[in-house]
Amino acid sequence: MCGIIARIGDDDSAVDELITGLENLEYRGYDSAGVAIKNGGGPEVFKRQGKISRLKDVLAGEVPDGGLGIGHTRWSTHGPPTDENAHPHTDCTGEVAVVHNGIIENYDELRSELASRGHEFESDTDTEVIPHLVEEELARGASPELAFRRTIRKLSGSYAVAMITERDHAVYATRRGSPLVLGVSDGEYFLASDVPAFLDFTEEVIYLDDGDVVVVRSDDYEISTLDGQTVERSVSTVEWDPEDAGKGGYDHYMLKEIHEQPTALRQTLRGRADGTTGEVHLEDFPAGSFEQVERVQFVACGTSYHAGLVGAGFLSGGGVPAQTFLASEYATSPAPVDEDTLVVGVTQSGETADTLSALRKANASGARTLAVTNVVGSTAARECDDALFIRAGPEIGVAATKTFSSQVVSLSLLAERIARDVTGSPTEESRERLAALDELPGQVQQILDYSNAQKIAKQYRDSDAYFFIGRGTVFPVALEGALKFKEISYEHAEGFAAGELKHGPLALVTPKTPIFAVFTGENDEKTLGNVKEAEARGAPIVAVASEDHEEVAQHADHVLTIPETHPDVAGVLANVQLQLLSYHAADLLGRPIDKPRNLAKSVTVE
């Protein structure tokens, strides 16, 4: 949530490159946007409530020259989205400009103290205390760098901060609990919340650690601790192509990313699973890597939580005790955590604040930790004992699609590796599952080519509510289908374990509440019984099932068909149909699909 960018170089192209960076970061927040440009004098600030297009309109008149600048796209936490609350924020003199991602937890106290000393505030944000604190340090004779370091020491909370001042030609930045990466190129440097911000300009990046302070000038940079001790951070080359983060001719990022799933799944599976021999080869986890594990706990949020539920089901079915926790609730969980516990943090970005907090609790309890993430160099990947990368490629749409599919497949492989290490050799069941995974990318492509989801979305666009049900490994798919539907269509949708429909939710069922029921070939008789209960109350039934499932078809008004496959793999196929359903429903309603209201891609505050 919120995206920051800074650019410094020898030429005067800061504005254009900052705007490009902000557009690439808009998935992190789109309530308001702003830039501060420095050319000779003090920082010149331009900011507007709303999308970045409004800021571009402002800059279209007189674009300021300058090689140094900072920018920000906001997801509101303190104060509504207004011009005044947009970043960058400045001090009383206008000499200091700051952008910030995160939350300053002690800002009320700091703001009261500053106001008592005569400082005047123009916004409701927590961020604005930062430039005023720097202003005081500068007035005491500190250099900009010293003033910045002293100010950071006074802050509590999570943050990534970038600052420029009138006094010198440099960017000062630091991070604690919020992501920040440094982009390195010939003649220019970048700082940003995420790599896509500057991928158009450089593929060379440095992932900063919590507590790092970086001072970037036109010709060099220096990274140190808050105490000033120099530290070395390695330069990595990002393998994404800038076009990977573009729409590629699709109307929305979400639709593009749904259609990228066959490729993403091939990348996830490449070199890791052999459906012919039944072997699993996870690059950093040879046979025996998990022999000492007695229990597995998954911690995650949102879509990743649903993937974690699937993963726990795989492990439990393989004879390994496993549970899934909402990361935000993990701190109060009574579940045992010790050195024989493996805690798996499932997080697309690797920066989700609640998940990082849960992983840190697990580390403090002596557990082994493992991150399942899409981002090499992310905080989760660096702080955990181990990491398994899902290899889905960049995902820009706020509503996760291809990363969910890649997470589920990655967790399936991880569960297979753990189960074999803990309980013994592969079973015939596991070999069949791996063989089904081999076929999965092609089967997803079949769905994308022939889905009738758009027609069904149109049929039920005026419904009162939408219910999704499933059993076993597709109960989480029902939850995910409902989450996707509600977050981009703004229509009421709920997911239930199929058997729970009659224990309360059935009171809401009417002819205006379609039921989307997922069938996998396992426990289908019971799910069909639940469908009949809803059917008897007049509810329209949409089944997600293989096309040869005749009995299901007899009781369904429509069928979203999926290819025949192993029951444990069917959920991924069913989910693709539900993603398409949600997309087309939202598109028919004219919703801003890639940027649903009140939501952001990466939630970096607890």
Side-chain angles (χ1 to χ4, degrees):
M1 58 177 59
C2 295
I4 67 176
I5 184 168
R7 187 270 185 189
I8 185 168
D10 296 326
D11 57 23
D12 290 333
S13 59
V15 170
D16 290 340
E17 294 185 355
L18 288 173
I19 290 297
T20 297
L22 289 177
E23 289 176 328
N24 291 342
L25 285 174
E26 200 167 14
Y27 64 91
R28 296 183 65 89
Y30 31 87
D31 291 339
S32 59
V35 295
I37 308 298
K38 183 177 183 296
N39 186 8
E44 194 171 355
V45 175
F46 304 83
K47 55 186 183 178
R48 282 294 182 274
Q49 178 271 332
K51 295 183 179 180
I52 292 169
S53 57
R54 294 198 66 212
L55 175 64
K56 291 172 72 174
D57 290 340
V58 173
L59 293 170
E62 294 185 18
V63 179
D65 292 329
L68 170 61
I70 54 177
H72 187 274
T73 179
R74 183 173 184 245
W75 187 82
S76 304
T77 55
H78 292 73
T82 63
D83 289 353
E84 293 77 15
N85 288 335
H87 298 216
H89 291 289
T90 59
D91 64 322
C92 294
T93 68
E95 182 180 336
V96 179
V98 166
V99 291
H100 162 234
N101 170 31
I103 290 181
I104 307 302
E105 294 175 353
N106 60 335
Y107 95 100
D108 278 329
E109 175 188 345
L110 293 171
R111 184 177 178 126
S112 296
E113 292 174 358
L114 288 162
S116 70
R117 295 195 290 268
H119 290 265
E120 296 182 359
F121 290 83
E122 298 180 355
S123 77
D124 302 315
T125 69
D126 55 336
T127 303
E128 198 179 356
V129 300
I130 301 174
H132 288 279
L133 290 169
V134 172
E135 176 191 358
E136 288 196 337
E137 295 296 338
L138 291 173
R140 296 187 183 107
S143 67
E145 181 176 349
L146 182 58
F148 183 74
R149 291 179 185 276
R150 287 176 175 174
T151 294
I152 297 304
R153 289 183 181 282
K154 298 174 183 177
L155 306 180
S156 298
S158 64
Y159 48 77
V161 179
M163 178 189 85
I164 60 176
T165 77
E166 181 179 337
R167 298 196 181 190
D168 62 0
H169 197 74
V171 181
Y172 301 91
T174 190
R175 62 158 289 179
R176 177 185 174 186
S178 290
L180 191 65
V181 291
L182 174 64
V184 180
S185 184
D186 293 335
E188 60 182 349
Y189 295 95
F190 299 87
L191 284 158
S193 299
D194 204 352
V195 170
F198 51 70
L199 199 54
D200 292 76
F201 312 113
T202 182
E203 298 173 348
E204 302 298 308
V205 305
I206 297 172
Y207 296 99
L208 301 174
D209 285 351
D210 272 0
D212 283 354
V213 175
V214 58
V215 181
V216 189
R217 305 187 188 278
S218 298
D219 57 354
D220 199 7
Y221 65 88
E222 182 179 4
I223 304 172
S224 61
T225 66
L226 193 55
D227 294 328
Q229 181 177 352
T230 301
V231 294
E232 298 294 330
R233 300 283 180 246
S234 60
V235 179
S236 304
T237 301
V238 177
E239 296 181 359
W240 298 347
D241 187 283
E243 291 185 4
D244 292 341
K247 289 183 183 176
Y250 289 89
D251 290 338
H252 299 93
Y253 283 112
M254 183 181 179
L255 185 60
K256 171 178 177 277
E257 288 153 7
I258 290 172
H259 280 263
E260 286 176 340
Q261 287 177 109
T263 298
L265 290 171
R266 289 187 184 98
Q267 292 171 174
T268 300
L269 288 163
R270 187 180 65 243
R272 291 174 165 175
D274 190 326
T276 304
T277 64
E279 292 302 313
V280 174
H281 305 282
L282 296 184
E283 51 272 24
D284 294 322
F285 306 104
S289 296
F290 300 101
E291 286 180 345
Q292 305 305 314
V293 170
E294 291 189 0
R295 70 187 69 85
V296 179
Q297 297 173 351
F298 294 92
V299 292
C301 305
T303 288
S304 295
Y305 172 71
H306 299 154
L309 289 172
V310 179
F314 289 152
L315 274 171
S316 297
V320 180
Q323 295 174 276
T324 303
F325 298 87
L326 288 166
S328 58
E329 295 294 315
Y330 187 67
T332 57
S333 165
V337 185
D338 56 29
E339 61 184 11
D340 297 320
T341 307
L342 174 67
V343 179
V344 181
V346 188
T347 162
Q348 181 276 139
S349 66
E351 305 293 348
T352 309
D354 287 323
T355 305
L356 290 174
S357 178
L359 288 167
R360 287 164 184 158
K361 178 194 180 245
N363 269 324
S365 300
R368 179 179 175 182
T369 55
L370 188 156
V372 176
T373 182
N374 196 34
V375 183
V376 177
S378 62
T379 301
R382 286 180 287 120
E383 290 191 3
C384 285
D385 297 312
D386 301 292
L388 177 64
F389 298 104
I390 69 172
R391 302 175 178 172
E395 185 176 72
I396 305 302
V398 167
T401 51
K402 66 177 181 176
T403 53
F404 176 77
S405 297
S406 291
Q407 283 174 339
V408 169
V409 170
S410 297
L411 291 175
S412 174
L413 298 176
L414 178 64
E416 192 65 38
R417 175 76 279 151
I418 295 171
R420 292 185 185 188
D421 286 351
V422 173
T423 65
S425 59
T427 63
E428 184 59 32
E429 177 76 9
S430 67
R431 289 192 180 95
E432 291 175 0
R433 186 187 302 115
L434 289 177
L437 289 175
D438 271 354
E439 303 296 323
L440 185 59
Q443 291 177 330
V444 170
Q445 189 62 58
Q446 285 180 247
I447 292 172
L448 296 173
D449 290 341
Y450 300 110
S451 174
N452 59 334
Q454 185 173 18
K455 178 181 177 181
I456 292 173
K458 187 174 182 179
Q459 174 84 20
Y460 296 111
R461 66 172 293 177
D462 296 322
S463 299
D464 292 338
Y466 303 81
F467 294 159
F468 297 75
I469 63 173
R471 283 179 182 270
T473 57
V474 291
F475 165 45
V477 172
L479 295 177
E480 175 62 14
L483 175 63
K484 212 59 50 194
F485 199 96
K486 72 180 73 171
E487 68 182 333
I488 64 168
S489 75
Y490 307 161
E491 297 296 304
H492 182 73
E494 293 296 334
F496 304 101
E500 288 299 298
L501 194 63
K502 60 184 176 290
H503 294 290
L506 203 59
L508 300 173
V509 169
T510 74
K512 295 284 283 182
T513 55
I515 307 292
F516 296 87
V518 184
F519 295 86
T520 67
E522 201 167 67
N523 296 314
D524 285 352
E525 297 81 5
K526 292 184 178 181
T527 302
L528 187 58
N530 303 130
V531 162
K532 292 175 182 177
E533 292 163 358
E535 184 184 25
R537 275 76 179 174
I541 305 298
V542 180
V544 187
S546 61
E547 58 187 24
D548 60 352
H549 210 317
E550 295 180 4
E551 187 177 5
V552 168
Q554 290 173 5
H555 291 275
D557 296 277
H558 302 277
V559 179
L560 288 163
T561 59
I562 60 175
E564 190 74 36
T565 188
H566 190 282
D568 288 349
V569 177
V572 176
L573 298 173
N575 184 63
V576 174
Q577 283 283 27
L578 296 179
Q579 289 172 351
L580 290 167
L581 173 79
S582 298
Y583 172 82
H584 290 300
D587 194 39
L588 286 166
L589 293 167
R591 307 303 193 209
I593 291 172
D594 289 329
K595 302 167 187 175
R597 67 188 178 201
N598 305 330
L599 302 178
K601 183 67 174 173
S602 179
V603 183
T604 56
V605 295
E606 293 183 67

